[in-house]
Each structure stands twice: as structure tokens, then as C-alpha cells.
Amino acid sequence: MSDSKQPAPIRRVLVVTAHPDDSEFGAGGTVAKLVREGVQVVYCIVTSGNKGSGDRNMTPERLARIREEEQRNAARVLGVETVEFLGFPDCEVEDTRESRMAVTAAIRRHRPDRLIVQNPHRTKNLGASHRDHRTVAGIALDCVYPLARDHMAFPELLAQGLEPHKVREVYMMWWENPEVVVDISETIDLKIKALACHASQFKDFAAVEQRVRERAAHYGTLKGYAYAETFDTIILER
């Protein structure tokens, strides 16, 4: 009889991404599945995506308001009630003390068991490995270890009552030889519905839906699922 200790259940998840719509593209089906399982999921969006438009009449200020509202609507579709925007500049996020402290504060505030982040590495998929995606993922990983954990990091946060917190595991959005393949067959339609909320980003959403479904079906073949999303993991504590 094994006396190995079973890992504690995941009850709180924080999704940290660079732009509105990143969470839905990379993990929308997984997020919907987690919510259905009773997990509390919170979004932390580091920018408001205020450079993401080819409309010469659009302004960054107006676009930020549009994209924040689109993101809130998309989150609601998936069952996510809390969406925070950190307000860093789109396409120009830097790994600075300010950005690290802001993400650390979000981790300490929401105290997740699992963090979901983007891929910190450059790949041949230039859209997925957007500079902001890589930068924000790297910042988030540095905050998990050691900044959110250590009480002497960012004394300003302690003064605000934000106590240190140990994240137990990290899921990184991954496409090549992933460690984790999540079956989203029952939540793919919610993922598509949530993506459709980001109307400012799509001229032809039918084409976007087709690509998303094809990609999720391809990932599903790794485990025999109809549709899947894929991740690599870092386990810090069971």
C-alpha cells in the first residue's frame, strides 16, 4: 500500500497574459473547464492592447477602453468574474522593477495555486511569441520565484498588507512536445464564443474560428481528444 501523499486540489488559478484576447487564444477552453470544476479563476492583463488596430482614426485611449470591455465580456463567457488590467504600454512592456512589483502584487493579492502564463521563448510562431508575450511570461516566472514568495522582496507590498505567497505550479502555453494536453472538447464552443467578443481584432471571424478549431483538433490528436490545449509545467510544491 502506497503512503505517497496525494497533491492538494487546485482551487485558485491566476492567468497572467500580455494583451486582451491572449488568455482566450491560449487557454480559453482550459479556463472554462476549470471554472466548471469549481476552480476560482482570475485574469491579470498586463497591457490594455491599445496599439492593436490598423484603423488610422483610432486612438490608443479609445482602443484601450474598447479592448478592456471586450476582455471583460470574454471573461464572463468563460465564467471568470475578476479581470485586472495593469496598464503597461502595449508592444513596449519592459522587465523593470515596476512591472515585476505589479505582477508580484497580483500574485500576492489573489494567492493562486496555479499560474497560467504565456510562452517565454521565441518560436517560429511569431504571433504567439510576440515580444510582449515573451516579456510578460518571463516577468511572471521571476515573480513566482522568488519575488512573490520572499518577504523581503518589495517591502512596499508588505506595507499594503500583501503577504508573501508560494505558487504551487505554473502552466506555460506550449505547442512543441507539450507536457500537458488538456481535453477541451466540451468547452471549445465557449472558447470560440469568448474569442468572438474581441470584435475589434477580427475582420473575418469565421476564418479565425476555423484556424482555432483546426489547431485545437491537431493538439487533440496527441491524446485522442477531439480538441485540446497544450502546456508545459513547472511544479514547485505539491
Side-chain angles (χ1 to χ4, degrees):
M1 181 175 180
S2 173
D3 58 357
S4 61
K5 183 179 179 181
Q6 292 296 315
I10 298 298
R11 302 190 184 279
R12 294 183 300 275
V13 171
L14 178 64
V15 184
V16 178
T17 54
H19 312 109
D21 79 21
D22 288 344
S23 302
E24 284 73 45
F25 270 118
T30 300
V31 166
K33 185 173 184 175
L34 288 167
V35 171
R36 284 185 172 185
E37 293 169 354
V39 177
Q40 180 188 70
V41 181
V42 172
Y43 277 5
C44 174
I45 315 298
V46 173
T47 83
S48 294
N50 64 333
K51 304 287 178 61
S53 175
D55 182 353
R56 291 297 185 94
N57 296 314
M58 181 63 71
T59 67
E61 295 77 17
R62 180 175 164 228
L63 185 59
R65 292 193 296 271
I66 290 171
R67 297 204 67 189
E68 286 181 7
E69 185 60 23
E70 289 174 345
Q71 180 62 90
R72 293 188 184 96
N73 291 338
R76 279 194 288 270
V77 168
L78 301 178
V80 176
E81 297 180 0
T82 301
V83 182
E84 293 185 352
F85 297 94
L86 299 186
F88 286 89
D90 188 12
C91 297
E92 300 178 37
V93 180
E94 300 289 350
D95 185 349
T96 64
R97 187 178 193 275
E98 181 184 11
S99 60
R100 293 190 297 273
M101 183 165 67
V103 174
T104 295
I107 292 172
R108 292 189 184 186
R109 184 161 48 249
H110 298 292
R111 311 185 77 74
D113 301 311
R114 176 189 297 161
L115 203 72
I116 297 178
V117 300
Q118 292 168 281
N119 190 322
H121 301 297
R122 168 68 77 189
T123 70
K124 292 182 180 180
N125 186 336
L126 294 185
S129 58
H130 184 295
R131 178 185 182 278
D132 284 353
H133 297 183
R134 292 180 285 115
T135 302
V136 167
I139 290 169
L141 293 175
D142 285 342
C143 293
V144 167
Y145 181 87
L147 300 174
R149 183 201 66 173
D150 291 355
H151 76 277
M152 286 192 285
F154 304 125
E156 303 96 314
L157 299 182
L158 271 184
Q160 297 170 28
L162 294 174
E163 290 291 327
H165 175 69
K166 294 181 180 179
V167 175
R168 288 170 42 203
E169 62 183 42
V170 178
Y171 272 31
M172 295 176 289
M173 301 172 192
W174 217 266
W175 307 280
E176 300 173 4
N177 301 314
E179 295 176 339
V180 174
V181 180
V182 177
D183 183 1
I184 62 165
S185 304
E186 295 184 0
T187 56
I188 183 71
D189 291 339
L190 279 176
K191 176 186 175 88
I192 298 298
K193 185 177 179 181
L195 279 168
C197 294
H198 298 282
S200 69
Q201 302 302 292
F202 309 125
K203 292 182 179 179
D204 181 2
F205 186 72
V208 173
E209 177 178 354
Q210 181 178 353
R211 289 197 304 272
V212 169
R213 287 186 181 275
E214 288 175 351
R215 188 177 297 124
H218 170 70
Y219 298 151
T221 64
L222 299 173
K223 290 288 186 180
Y225 305 143
Y227 298 103
E229 290 171 342
T230 52
F231 306 87
D232 266 8
T233 60
I234 300 172
I235 305 299
L236 294 101
E237 183 176 300
R238 284 299 190 184

